[in-house]
Amino acid sequence: DAKTTQPTSMDCAEGRAANLPCNHSTISGNEYVYWYRQIHSQGPQYIIHGLKNNETNEMASLIITEDRKSSTLILPHATLRDTAVYYCIVRVYSGAGSYQLTFGKGTKLSVIP
Amino acid sequence: GAGVSQSPSNKVTEKGKDVELRCDPISGHTALYWYRQRLGQGLEFLIYFQGNSAPDKSGLPSDRFSAERTGESVSTLTIQRTQQEDSAVYLCASSSGQGSYGYTFGSGTRLTVV
């Protein structure tokens, strides 16, 4: 159970902001939201994570709604190299000190010249 | 090292043979994960190691799959009597702890069973 719902694919014009939505309506109070991306033939790359506050780093911004049931990853100025599959993940505590990242199918973002 | 290193990067094996995949995590990372990714699919969790605790093996698909890790260093994933459905990219990730840290993935081992 991936616990997240994302659109299958999205297009974004080069230079524009890419806004990738994610629904996680069953998230629990202590579960973090992580975003990763995977460029073809590479391992997933960490982008950002958050609990309830909005977060920003050099790659992206993460906006989490007040009820924490959804979030949006923002790439402020998309480039062709941002074309990838973007995964929104809820990190789940699976017991005995173990945490799991359960990957869904993600959103295939295509940045168009 | 600077990142998570996996070897070999590619492996072709005959059905029925055993294979061993290796993962070198980032130095000092106590948590280590193995995932499997079939062509065009998302990542499937296989196994998780955290320090000297008993590993979480809940994702291993059958008893042909096993993994070991010595302390907080190298891990090996072994697949016995490989089947064609084992063909996939096997990804390893490490993390610095149980807190809200990012997980760093290696580039994976592409396994092809013929």
Side-chain angles (χ1 to χ4, degrees), chain A residues 86-100:
Chain A
Y86 287 76
Y87 295 99
C88 168
I89 302 154
V90 171
R91 191 189 70 158
V92 175
Y93 182 66
S94 54
S98 173
Y99 291 85
Q100 289 189 20

Side-chain angles (χ1 to χ4, degrees), chain B residues 38-88:
Chain B
R38 292 191 167 117
L39 185 65
Q41 302 297 311
L43 279 72
E44 299 173 68
F45 166 76
L46 296 178
I47 190 169
Y48 164 72
F49 295 91
Q50 173 59 51
N52 293 318
S53 302
D56 176 356
K57 304 179 181 180
S58 60
L60 294 179
S62 77
D63 59 7
R64 297 187 295 105
F65 288 72
S66 63
E68 293 183 351
R69 187 184 187 196
T70 305
E72 297 180 356
S73 61
V74 171
S75 176
T76 56
L77 176 69
T78 301
I79 308 173
Q80 296 178 310
R81 305 181 302 282
T82 53
Q83 304 295 313
Q84 287 185 330
E85 62 263 28
D86 299 334
S87 295

Side-chain angles (χ1 to χ4, degrees), chain A residues 71-107:
Chain A
S71 61
T72 300
L73 178 76
I74 301 172
L75 308 178
H77 306 287
T79 71
L80 298 179
R81 288 180 294 181
D82 292 324
T83 292
V85 177
Y86 287 76
Y87 295 99
C88 168
I89 302 154
V90 171
R91 191 189 70 158
V92 175
Y93 182 66
S94 54
S98 173
Y99 291 85
Q100 289 189 20
L101 299 179
T102 303
F103 287 75
K105 296 189 182 300
T107 296

